[in-house]
Amino acid sequence: MPLIFCLGLLFSLNLMAHVVSDKPVTVITSLDSAKAVGGVILSKDDSSNTAVTYLNQLQLSQLSSLNHLQGKCAGFETLSDDEVMQPGLLLQNLKVTDTKFKSLGLIRPTVLTWNEEYQKLADKADPVQLKETISWISSYPTRYNKAPSPNQHVDELKTKLESWLRDARWPYQIEIINHKSTKQNTLRLTITGKTKPTEVIVLGGHLDSINTGYSNTDKAPGADDNASGSANLIEAVKILKNANQPNRTLEFYWYAGEESGLLGSAEIAKEAKAKNKNVIAVMQLDMTLFPGSGEQVIGLVTDFTSPWLRELLTAMNNTYTKARFVPDECGYACSDHASWHRQGYHAVTPFEAITQTMNGNIHSAKDVIDSKSSFQHSNTFTQLAIVFALVLGNSDIKPPSIN
Ligand code: BES
Ligand code: ZN
């Protein structure tokens, strides 16, 4: 991913602040990079070139520069204290979906039976309505988690959802979720499943935005990153209001603090794991508005995601939405799907383009609706969310079991 999009500047500033304290940190990064900067390798997985490594501040700053030279953004993720306690376990979770599934040959082409009702619902997705919702979300001066009022847009979305869903035909709950790591809240809508309420399908996107300039109050409209994915989820919910109660439970998340290190989703996925929640599948929508690789060309993130679910989403696309999917690596834990993946859940992220040609205006005041925005392109992601909720919410489809 080109340098310009990175949070590099922010990290550098943070690094300058840290250099003063010179506190060592534990991060997860590529094994090659960890070795190159001479970090102490606490745990590693050769097959995925991933390591948990212990670094002093100089090494951390070298790692940041090295990763930027290699075209990655941050290219590493700092681990919390309790994650550090079990680095081996962490890597086990990381590789569970990819390496094991591949080596066991468990991934087979998936064929889905076309369902007319699902198609009709997906076809209700409306680019004009979507534009209105993205315009509203991106009209806040900032949705940064460290802004003086980090929850105004969260509370206002809650009020809007309550009004849209007032006469819904299925049981639901709208909740504000507080976090330990940030003052910003996550918003969750739960639609309770009819026959298998303990089996959960998650759809999420981050509602926060960032401007990687100096100030907490810098303008961060975040139209593409990520009013777009947040709006896709809102529009999907409004259309699912016309569908029957799903058999499985659907959870929709508008996460807090993604731009400051996947903060909201990390806590939520961790708690889900701790409670042994039976989350069958997770879809993340983050940036859907800029058709950088062409209209209806969708990048399918291949790292920190599940091969089984990528295959299933591809089948959903082949059956209903008919976009062109291009597998593409992010190179690091670039969005909230990684939080779920790290807890061993199956996650998938369809993305606006291949990352090389993604929107260059994100993380700045320029991330606004402009002539390059395509609501038709973004609308396909609303349709994918609808189909994901209907197919997984009303079937017995499960990941193949591994031991
Ligand atoms: N939307 C961006 C990046 C992204 C790229 C997401 C490709 C999905 C696919 C995301 O909000 C972001 O900026 N992530 C951070 C990393 C995070 C751990 C702070 C980044 O890329 O620097
Ligand atoms: Zn984003």
Side-chain angles (χ1 to χ4, degrees):
M1 193 178 304
L3 252 175
I4 188 168
F5 310 128
C6 299
L7 286 180
L9 182 56
L10 190 76
F11 277 107
S12 316
L13 291 169
N14 281 340
L15 287 176
M16 278 157 59
H18 279 288
V19 165
V20 180
S21 69
D22 203 32
K23 185 174 175 274
V25 288
T26 306
V27 305
I28 184 158
T29 187
S30 79
L31 179 57
D32 292 344
S33 305
K35 282 183 182 163
V37 300
V40 179
I41 311 287
L42 298 175
S43 177
K44 69 182 173 77
D45 174 35
D46 293 286
S47 61
S48 62
N49 187 33
T50 312
V52 173
T53 180
Y54 189 63
L55 305 173
N56 62 33
Q57 288 297 325
L58 180 64
Q59 289 167 322
L60 185 63
S61 131
Q62 287 167 339
L63 179 70
S64 178
S65 312
L66 180 70
N67 285 334
H68 277 130
L69 283 175
Q70 291 172 352
K72 296 171 195 162
C73 274
F76 65 85
E77 219 185 319
T78 311
L79 301 178
S80 65
D81 288 348
D82 46 348
E83 284 167 332
V84 173
M85 296 299 283
Q86 297 181 319
L89 188 67
L90 187 81
L91 281 185
Q92 227 174 322
N93 284 340
L94 273 180
K95 62 181 181 176
V96 85
T97 44
D98 262 64
T99 318
K100 270 198 179 173
F101 274 70
K102 273 186 207 142
S103 66
L104 294 172
L106 286 168
I107 309 157
R108 306 246 181 281
T110 313
V111 180
L112 292 172
T113 312
W114 182 75
N115 178 312
E116 190 179 354
E117 186 59 24
Y118 295 177
Q119 186 74 62
K120 280 189 181 155
L121 286 161
D123 290 347
K124 277 183 194 271
D126 177 9
V128 177
Q129 192 56 56
L130 178 64
K131 181 176 182 179
E132 210 174 286
T133 305
I134 298 177
S135 305
W136 165 62
I137 300 174
S138 58
S139 69
Y140 289 90
T142 181
R143 305 185 306 280
Y144 187 36
N145 72 304
K146 294 171 197 162
S149 312
N151 286 309
Q152 196 192 336
H153 60 284
V154 184
D155 296 338
E156 286 174 13
L157 176 55
K158 179 170 184 276
T159 306
K160 278 186 192 275
L161 271 179
E162 282 163 353
S163 128
W164 288 323
L165 297 181
R166 194 146 291 145
D167 52 347
R169 47 208 257 215
W170 21 252
Y172 68 93
Q173 210 183 348
I174 301 171
E175 293 158 284
I176 291 280
I177 302 174
N178 302 120
H179 294 293
K180 292 185 200 116
S181 53
T182 172
K183 286 186 181 142
Q184 193 167 62
N185 301 325
T186 289
L187 186 65
R188 172 171 61 201
L189 162 70
T190 307
I191 303 175
T192 310
K194 194 173 180 178
T195 55
K196 290 172 288 184
T198 57
E199 296 185 10
V200 181
I201 310 300
V202 166
L203 295 97
H206 69 91
L207 191 55
D208 65 314
S209 66
I210 194 167
N211 182 326
T212 46
Y214 291 90
S215 160
N216 285 354
T217 51
D218 278 352
K219 280 229 156 74
D224 188 11
D225 188 9
N226 183 35
S228 62
S230 302
N232 294 135
L233 296 170
I234 294 168
E235 293 308 309
V237 166
K238 287 198 227 159
I239 287 163
L240 289 168
K241 206 181 143 185
N242 303 304
N244 293 330
Q245 182 180 5
N247 286 331
R248 285 169 164 164
T249 292
L250 302 179
E251 288 183 353
F252 290 84
Y253 287 92
W254 290 270
Y255 300 114
E258 186 267 359
E259 300 287 12
S260 295
L262 317 181
L263 301 178
S265 61
E267 289 189 21
I268 286 162
K270 199 171 164 195
E271 192 184 326
K273 179 75 184 172
K275 290 186 173 162
N276 213 9
K277 199 166 178 171
N278 189 6
V279 177
I280 306 286
V282 178
M283 179 194 246
Q284 170 73 2
L285 292 182
D286 185 357
M287 298 176 66
T288 68
L289 189 58
F290 179 82
S293 307
E295 285 286 337
Q296 310 303 318
V297 180
I298 292 178
L300 190 59
V301 175
T302 52
D303 45 352
F304 300 91
T305 58
S306 152
W308 164 72
L309 201 52
R310 294 201 300 269
E311 179 65 38
L312 183 58
L313 188 71
T314 305
M316 291 178 194
N317 174 56
N318 293 341
T319 313
Y320 294 100
T321 42
K322 310 213 184 282
R324 201 177 122 209
F325 272 26
V326 182
D328 183 38
E329 205 177 65
C330 230
Y332 59 103
C334 62
S335 192
D336 299 301
H337 55 272
S339 297
W340 292 96
H341 181 76
R342 279 173 60 179
Q343 301 299 337
Y345 291 113
H346 291 265
V348 74
T349 304
F351 183 64
E352 64 186 13
I354 56 165
T355 51
Q356 263 182 331
T357 57
M358 69 188 258
N359 192 343
N361 286 333
I362 65 166
H363 301 175
S364 80
K366 289 195 212 152
D367 186 5
V368 290
I369 293 173
D370 62 18
S371 59
K372 290 185 181 152
S373 307
S374 170
F375 299 94
Q376 198 62 52
H377 184 68
S378 185
N379 198 52
T380 304
F381 293 82
T382 307
Q383 296 182 315
L384 283 171
I386 293 168
V387 170
F388 190 85
L390 291 170
V391 169
L392 276 158
N394 292 299
S395 67
D396 289 324
I397 299 175
K398 273 196 173 84
S401 59
I402 48 169
N403 297 303

